[in-house]
């Protein structure tokens, strides 16, 4: 038995060193990636949010490294105090992964992703929940003498539930993140398999230690299984951020170089002269038409059409209306909005645009460069009846409020702003297009 324990100790040390090596090397790589894009955070809110989420991911991966270091120098028996410290460290990993979910730049909108659309509220809620969990662990420690075995079951069970929830939630976001980058079914299936197997380890490992019996003999194999799963999990995260930053950088490079192409489809457009938006009732197609001028002063007219009222087109409608009523737009998501507007046009158009052609920027307040009289919003009543159209105006409603009212009602305070929107938005929306 003594030899077996020594062998187990050697195996555990190898396992912990492997866990530390994998997670720490990935954390360092992600930190280098974060540092490489740090300057862009000062120039773009879009990059700032991505980097903020990446920082949470780095802390989450480092939490695994800290767990490994802690266990290397504290290889004790499965005592209650050891379990509590171990679960608290595990909770830190879950905490940072949950926080990072709000900052993945996915477009998927459903009941789950709406939970963290308001990033500040999501962060506060996550901290509150995990503070309660830590308090629970601490209280359990105080009553450990009279509640020992049941305390172990409660602590390990609660931590396993949170860990599985965290893995599944992160896996769900990773699945759609890779999908929106254009990856096919094979890789997406692989992501699902990794998430399922990784979740299973959160059941097998505590069960093999808490429940006596034959499962204890398989504990070393469960540890090896965990190492395989966690390595795949962190590699998927590192791979996503690498590909995402590369695709964004490549897109910007293509956008800046597109005017250098000698192809007819890449004439150097120097001005957007006119914007027309509307809906063809005969073809049931939404359309966006731009009149463009190239560096030789030659004019072109091109139309993009789509059977669905997509969010990028809603942004075009929002900016068009704002320009008509002399309003500059500002919002925490404005960088994403501008990016999607240009991307929406460039995907189908023969003439490529960039953001500098379309927008004025005055200290973070944006508007079209196109003259008011050259913006045409057709079928205004039809658009006004669309719920998605109403929602986007509600989201940016504060931009249309006068500075006097913002000061009077102290709308810089979120609670005051929410109350003001609730009381005044319907009246505002009723009167749009009637000015």
């Amino acid at each position: 038995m003594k030899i077996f324990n020594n062998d187990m100790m050697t195996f555990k040390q190898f396992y912990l060193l492997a866990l530390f090596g994998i997670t720490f090397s990935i954390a360092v790589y992600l930190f280098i990636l974060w540092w490489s894009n740090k300057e862009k955070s000062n120039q773009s809110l879009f990059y700032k949010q991505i980097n903020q989420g990446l920082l949470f991911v780095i802390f989450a991966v480092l939490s695994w490294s800290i767990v490994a270091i802690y266990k290397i120098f504290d290889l004790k028996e499965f005592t209650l105090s050891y379990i509590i410290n171990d679960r608290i460290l595990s909770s830190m990993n879950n905490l940072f992964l949950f926080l990072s979910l709000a900052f993945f730049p996915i477009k998927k909108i459903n009941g789950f992703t709406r939970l963290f659309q308001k990033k500040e509220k999501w962060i506060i809620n996550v901290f509150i929940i995990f503070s309660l969990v830590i308090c629970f662990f601490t209280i359990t420690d105080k009553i450990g003498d009279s509640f020992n075995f049941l305390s172990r079951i409660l602590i390990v069970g609660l931590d396993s539930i949170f860990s599985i929830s965290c893995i599944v939630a992160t896996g769900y976001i990773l699945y759609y993140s890779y999908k929106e980058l254009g990856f096919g079914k094979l890789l997406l299936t692989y992501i699902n398999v990794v998430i399922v197997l990784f979740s299973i380890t959160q059941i097998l490992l505590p069960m093999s230690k808490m429940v006596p019996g034959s499962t204890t003999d398989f504990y070393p194999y469960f540890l090896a299984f965990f190492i395989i799963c966690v390595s795949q999990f962190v590699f998927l995260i590192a791979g996503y951020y690498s590909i995402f930053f590369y695709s964004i950088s490549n897109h910007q490079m293509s956008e800046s170089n597109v005017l250098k192409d000698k192809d007819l489809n890449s004439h150097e457009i120097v001005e957007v002269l006119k914007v027309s938006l509307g809906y063809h009732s005969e073809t049931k197609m939404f359309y966006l038409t731009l009149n463009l001028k190239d560096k030789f002063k030659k004019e072109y007219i091109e139309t993009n059409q789509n059977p669905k009222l997509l969010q990028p087109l809603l942004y075009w409608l929002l900016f068009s209306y704002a320009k008509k009523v002399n309003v500059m737009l500002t919002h925490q998501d404005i960088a994403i909005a501008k990016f999607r507007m240009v991307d929406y046009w460039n995907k189908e158009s023969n003439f490529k645009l960039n953001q500098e052609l379309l927008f004025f920027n005055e200290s973070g307040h944006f508007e079209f460069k196109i003259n008011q009289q050259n913006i045409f919003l057709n079928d205004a009543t039809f658009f006004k009846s669309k719920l998605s159209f109403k929602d986007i105006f509600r989201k940016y409603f504060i931009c249309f409020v006068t500075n006097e009212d913002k000061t009077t009602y102290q709308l810089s305070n979120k609670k005051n702003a929410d109350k003001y929107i609730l009381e005044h938005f319907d009246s505002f929306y009723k009167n749009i297009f009637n000015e």
Side-chain angles (χ1 to χ4, degrees), residues 29-298:
Y29 171 77
L30 290 174
F31 178 78
I32 293 171
L33 203 59
W34 174 84
W35 187 266
S36 300
N37 292 277
K38 185 181 177 183
E39 288 188 8
K40 295 178 182 177
S41 299
N42 301 324
Q43 304 167 4
S44 167
L45 181 61
F46 178 68
Y47 268 102
K48 183 178 181 180
Q49 292 182 347
I50 301 302
N51 279 350
Q52 187 174 349
L54 177 54
L55 200 57
F56 285 136
V57 171
I58 292 169
F59 289 142
V61 178
L62 275 177
S63 297
W64 272 312
S65 303
I66 295 172
V67 168
I69 291 293
Y70 168 71
K71 290 186 177 181
I72 286 174
F73 293 103
D74 195 18
L75 284 170
K76 296 179 179 178
E77 295 297 324
F78 209 56
T79 61
L80 180 59
S81 61
Y82 177 77
I83 296 172
I84 291 171
N85 292 334
D86 186 36
R87 296 305 101 178
I88 289 175
L89 288 172
S90 174
S91 295
M92 296 304 295
N93 170 265
N94 294 332
L95 167 66
F96 289 120
L97 280 179
F98 268 120
L99 290 174
S100 71
L101 297 182
F103 299 91
F104 278 84
I106 65 170
K107 302 174 185 176
K108 180 72 175 178
I109 302 296
N110 56 25
F112 177 63
T113 57
R114 285 194 185 95
L115 290 175
F116 40 78
Q117 277 190 322
K118 294 183 178 180
K119 295 176 174 56
E120 295 82 2
K121 185 177 180 181
W122 172 257
I123 290 173
I124 292 171
N125 289 340
V126 169
F127 270 111
I128 290 173
I129 291 171
F130 277 89
S131 296
L132 293 175
V133 172
I134 299 301
C135 288
F136 174 80
F137 289 161
T138 305
I139 293 171
T140 307
D141 186 26
K142 299 301 180 184
I143 60 176
D145 293 337
S146 59
F147 209 48
N148 207 317
F149 179 72
L150 187 55
S151 296
R152 297 183 189 183
I153 296 293
L154 288 173
I155 293 170
V156 174
L158 181 62
D159 181 66
S160 293
I161 291 171
F162 271 99
S163 295
I164 292 171
S165 301
C166 182
I167 291 167
V168 171
T170 307
Y172 181 86
I173 297 300
L174 276 176
Y175 177 92
Y176 280 102
S177 297
Y178 271 97
K179 187 176 182 179
E180 290 180 3
L181 285 175
F183 285 88
K185 290 184 178 180
L186 190 60
L187 180 64
L188 299 179
T189 302
Y190 176 74
I191 292 173
N192 287 335
V193 171
V194 169
I195 297 306
V196 170
L197 294 179
F198 194 18
S199 300
I200 291 173
T201 65
Q202 303 305 302
I203 300 172
L204 295 178
L205 283 173
M207 182 180 69
S208 65
K209 295 297 291 184
M210 293 300 299
V211 181
S214 59
T215 55
T216 304
D217 298 334
F218 292 96
Y219 185 63
Y221 303 102
F222 293 159
L223 289 177
F225 184 34
F226 174 80
I227 282 290
I228 294 171
C229 292
V230 77
S231 63
Q232 296 307 301
F233 184 73
V234 294
F235 285 149
L236 282 172
I237 293 176
Y240 168 71
Y241 277 104
S242 301
I243 297 166
F244 176 78
F245 280 122
Y246 173 78
S247 63
I248 292 295
S249 176
N250 191 52
H251 175 84
Q252 291 176 341
M253 187 179 296
S254 298
E255 190 177 75
S256 63
N257 291 334
V258 72
L259 299 179
K260 299 177 183 178
D261 196 331
K262 294 181 180 180
D263 189 87
L264 174 65
N265 293 344
S266 298
H267 281 297
E268 185 176 352
I269 301 301
V270 297
E271 186 178 358
V272 180
L273 300 172
K274 186 186 298 185
V275 175
S276 298
L277 300 110
Y279 179 76
H280 289 302
S281 55
E282 299 82 9
T283 60
K284 301 188 184 305
M285 300 283 279
F286 297 94
Y287 67 86
L288 167 62
T289 300
L290 299 185
N291 291 48
L292 310 164
K293 183 170 71 174
D294 67 13
K295 61 181 179 180
F296 303 109
K297 302 192 182 300
K298 184 176 180 180

Side-chain angles (χ1 to χ4, degrees), residues 393-415:
F393 270 87
R394 188 191 304 275
K395 180 178 179 180
Y396 285 84
F397 169 53
I398 295 299
C399 299
F400 294 90
V401 178
T402 63
N403 289 328
E404 291 77 11
D405 284 344
K406 288 178 181 177
T407 302
T408 301
Y409 295 98
Q410 298 181 342
L411 299 187
S412 57
N413 179 279
K414 186 178 183 303
K415 186 175 181 180

